[in-house]
C-alpha cells in the first residue's frame, strides 16, 4: 500500500480554486533562462492557456503515479520534489522548486504518470498549463515541441552533473555548489536575479546530498567560520559570493546557463 505523508486529498479542492494568469507576470517568468529563450508566441501561449493555483503549506500539487496533467511553474512560495519509500514512508528530496522554476515537462512529453510528489513547503502559487490545452496549442505550432524537449534535456543534464558531483567532490565543495545553485535558481537565473538569502533548511540539503544533517551542519559551520555565509533559521545568507563561488568550483555553462557571471560579484546595495 502506498504511504502518503502529505495531504493529497486537499490537492483536489485546491485545483478548483484557480484564476487566470496576469500578463504582468511575463517579465518575472523571463528571469528563468529556459522561458526567456522561448519564442514570444510560446511564452504568451503558456500564460493564456495556464491558470494560477493556490496551495497551502503541506498541500500536494501532484503525487507519483498520478496522471501527468500539466506543465507547471512556481510563481510564489516553494515546492519540494520528493520520492517516498513505499515500505516505510521515508522521503528523499530531489528538487527544491522556487520562483520561477518550470517542472512537469516529462509527463507533458510522454503522457506517462508523474515520477515524483510535488508538495508545497509553504503557502504557494503555481502556474499550471493543462496538458490538453498545451497539446492543442502545440498541434497548431509543432515547432515549439522542441522547447519542451529543451526543458527536459536541461533537467537531465543537471541530474547527471549533480550525480557526478556527488561521486567525485568533497562534501564541503558539494555544499558550496548547492548554495550557489540555490541562489541562482539551479543555475537558471541570470546574475541580476540571484538571491543573497536562500531558504534551504539543513535537513533539505542533507536529503539532497544523501548524508546526515550533522554532516551537513559541520560543512556549513566550516564555511561560516571562513566568513562566507551566515546561518539562520531555515535560511542561509551568502556574505561573500565570490569566495563561495571559488569554493564551489567551475560550472558548465551548458548545464548552468545562468552562471555567466560579471567580474565583480559584490552584492548590489540593498540586497
Amino acid at each position: 500500500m502506498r504511504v502518503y505523508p502529505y495531504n493529497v486529498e486537499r490537492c483536489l479542492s485546491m485545483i478548483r480554486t484557480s484564476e487566470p494568469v496576469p500578463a504582468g507576470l511575463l517579465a518575472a517568468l523571463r528571469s528563468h533562462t529556459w522561458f526567456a529563450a522561448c519564442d514570444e508566441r510560446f511564452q504568451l501561449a503558456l500564460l493564456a492557456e495556464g491558470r494560477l493555483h493556490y496551495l497551502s503549506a503541506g498541500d500536494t500539487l501532484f503525487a507519483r503515479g498520478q496522471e501527468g496533467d500539466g506543465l507547471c511553474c512556481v510563481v510564489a512560495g516553494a515546492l519540494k520534489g520528493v520520492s517516498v519509500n513505499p515500505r516505510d514512508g521515508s522521503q528523499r528530496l530531489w528538487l527544491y522548486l522556487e520562483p520561477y522554476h518550470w517542472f512537469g515537462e516529462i509527463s507533458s512529453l510522454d503522457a506517462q504518470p508523474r515520477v515524483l510528489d510535488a508538495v508545497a513547503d509553504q503557502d504557494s502559487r503555481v502556474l499550471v498549463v493543462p496538458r490538453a490545452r498545451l497539446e492543442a496549442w502545440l498541434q497548431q505550432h509543432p515547432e515549439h515541441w522542441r522547447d519542451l524537449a529543451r526543458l527536459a534535456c536541461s533537467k537531465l543534464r543537471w541530474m547527471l552533473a549533480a550525480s557526478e558531483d556527488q561521486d567525485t567532490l568533497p562534501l564541503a565543495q558539494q555544499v558550496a555548489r548547492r548554495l550557489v545553485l540555490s541562489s541562482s535558481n539551479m543555475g537558471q537565473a541570470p546574475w541580476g536575479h540571484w538571491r543573497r538569502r536562500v531558504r534551504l533548511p539543513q535537513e533539505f540539503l542533507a536529503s539532497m546530498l544523501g548524508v546526515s544533517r550533522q554532516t551537513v551542519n559541520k560543512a556549513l559551520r566550516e564555511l561560516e567560520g571562513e566568513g562566507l555565509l551566515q546561518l539562520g533559521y531555515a535560511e542561509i545568507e551568502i556574505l561573500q559570493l565570490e569566495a563561495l563561488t571559488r569554493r564551489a568550483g567551475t560550472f558548465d555553462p551548458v548545464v548552468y546557463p545562468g552562471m555567466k557571471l560579471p567580474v565583480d560579484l559584490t552584492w548590489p546595495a540593498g540586497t
Side-chain angles (χ1 to χ4, degrees):
M1 180 178 179
R2 177 72 190 282
V3 178
Y4 288 102
Y6 303 116
N7 196 344
V8 178
E9 291 77 11
R10 288 188 61 183
C11 166
L12 300 178
S13 60
M14 176 278 301
I15 290 297
R16 300 190 189 100
T17 306
S18 64
E19 62 184 36
V21 182
L25 190 59
L26 183 63
L29 292 172
R30 285 174 173 164
S31 67
H32 190 281
T33 55
W34 170 77
F35 187 83
C38 292
D39 184 87
E40 186 175 23
R41 289 185 303 167
F42 190 36
Q43 294 179 355
L44 295 174
L46 292 175
L47 267 67
E49 303 297 341
R51 303 280 295 182
L52 285 180
H53 296 285
Y54 292 79
L55 295 85
S56 298
D59 282 351
T60 298
L61 178 64
F62 56 74
R64 181 175 180 174
Q66 287 184 341
E67 179 183 357
D69 57 358
L71 181 66
C72 310
C73 178
V74 180
V75 298
L79 272 70
K80 297 179 290 186
V82 300
S83 60
V84 180
N85 187 320
R87 292 184 294 276
D88 59 11
S90 61
Q91 307 155 27
R92 173 72 184 273
L93 178 66
W94 294 96
L95 299 169
Y96 193 68
L97 304 165
E98 298 180 279
Y100 293 91
H101 197 93
W102 291 84
F103 61 104
E105 70 284 347
I106 294 177
S107 293
S108 297
L109 283 166
D110 64 11
Q112 297 300 307
R114 300 293 192 186
V115 296
L116 293 175
D117 296 353
V119 183
D121 183 47
Q122 51 190 282
D123 292 350
S124 303
R125 283 182 295 157
V126 181
L127 189 165
V128 178
V129 185
R131 195 177 77 203
R133 287 178 168 271
L134 179 61
E135 288 184 351
W137 191 88
L138 289 171
Q139 293 276 353
Q140 301 298 318
H141 308 85
E143 66 274 18
H144 293 292
W145 277 107
R146 182 179 292 273
D147 287 316
L148 276 188
R150 284 194 303 106
L151 182 58
C153 289
S154 70
K155 297 283 184 64
L156 176 59
R157 290 179 185 274
W158 184 87
M159 295 297 286
L160 290 173
S163 178
E164 183 178 0
D165 289 349
Q166 201 162 343
D167 289 341
T168 61
L169 300 181
L171 181 65
Q173 185 176 357
Q174 291 184 54
V175 170
R177 290 177 75 81
R178 288 287 179 156
L179 292 176
V180 172
L181 291 174
S182 294
S183 174
S184 62
N185 199 356
M186 293 173 59
Q188 305 303 311
W191 162 241
H193 296 275
W194 286 32
R195 293 175 295 117
R196 179 170 182 160
R197 294 174 177 83
V198 297
R199 174 178 166 77
L200 193 62
Q202 294 184 30
E203 58 268 27
F204 290 4
L205 186 55
S207 181
M208 286 190 285
L209 295 176
V211 297
S212 69
R213 185 185 181 281
Q214 291 77 11
T215 301
V216 163
N217 180 262
K218 181 179 179 181
L220 288 170
R221 292 294 179 187
E222 177 182 332
L223 295 172
E224 186 178 44
E226 296 174 16
L228 305 188
L229 54 85
Q230 182 174 345
L231 300 177
Y233 178 73
E235 182 180 86
I236 299 172
E237 181 180 0
I238 300 174
L239 302 177
Q240 298 188 40
L241 179 60
E242 185 173 356
L244 184 66
T245 302
R246 285 199 302 270
R247 285 293 299 270
T250 303
F251 291 90
D252 184 343
V254 174
V255 182
Y256 309 106
M259 302 301 293
K260 299 172 184 176
L261 301 176
V263 175
D264 182 9
L265 287 182
T266 303
W267 291 112
T271 60

